[in-house]
Amino acid sequence: MKVEYNKLVRDKIPEIIKESGRTCEYKILGESEVKDALKEKLLEKAQIFSKKPSEDELSDIYELLGAIIETFEYEPLHIDYLKLQNKETKGSYSKKVFLISVDDGE
């Protein structure tokens, strides 16, 4: 039975499939295609983590973030700087603040 996936997977997945005695069809994405696929994969992984949080899923998200940083040619140190800057100006999530509403007075 053939199952369609049409999604970005880790590099060794085709090899793992072949070693299990199955066959698979895959392609190598171009630059514009991979950017879209990475964004879709991030949403997929976030939904999975949202439904069933685990360290394993979180490790996949970490790996995915690294691929996004590399593919989009972001500077890791600059991202760390922005993280610190946002923490300083907006705070962190450590106090568990949940905003219910804002009344603009109109």
Side-chain angles (χ1 to χ4, degrees), residues 43-57:
L43 293 174
E44 174 194 339
K45 287 296 180 181
Q47 288 174 346
I48 292 169
F49 184 81
S50 175
K51 292 176 185 169
K52 189 175 180 186
S54 72
E55 289 179 329
D56 187 52
E57 282 303 324

Side-chain angles (χ1 to χ4, degrees), residues 76-94:
L77 290 176
H78 188 246
I79 291 171
D80 288 340
Y81 167 76
L82 293 173
K83 179 183 170 192
L84 290 172
Q85 188 177 42
N86 283 327
K87 187 174 185 175
E88 185 176 304
T89 59
K90 301 173 190 173
S92 67
Y93 296 98
S94 63

Side-chain angles (χ1 to χ4, degrees), residues 15-62:
E15 179 184 327
I16 292 168
I17 292 168
K18 290 175 187 175
E19 287 173 357
S20 75
R22 299 173 291 164
T23 61
C24 64
E25 181 181 357
Y26 66 94
K27 67 179 182 177
I28 306 301
L29 299 177
E31 285 301 312
S32 63
E33 293 173 306
V34 76
K35 287 180 178 182
D36 288 339
L38 284 165
K39 292 185 283 186
E40 288 175 25
K41 191 69 173 187
L42 182 58
L43 293 174
E44 174 194 339
K45 287 296 180 181
Q47 288 174 346
I48 292 169
F49 184 81
S50 175
K51 292 176 185 169
K52 189 175 180 186
S54 72
E55 289 179 329
D56 187 52
E57 282 303 324
L58 193 55
S59 75
D60 279 351
I61 293 170
Y62 265 94

Side-chain angles (χ1 to χ4, degrees), residues 2 4-5 8 13 17 38 43 46 66 69 91 94-95 102 105:
K2 184 176 183 177
E4 297 283 334
Y5 288 96
L8 186 66
I13 296 300
I17 292 168
L38 284 165
L43 293 174
I69 290 167
S94 63
K95 293 183 181 176
V102 174

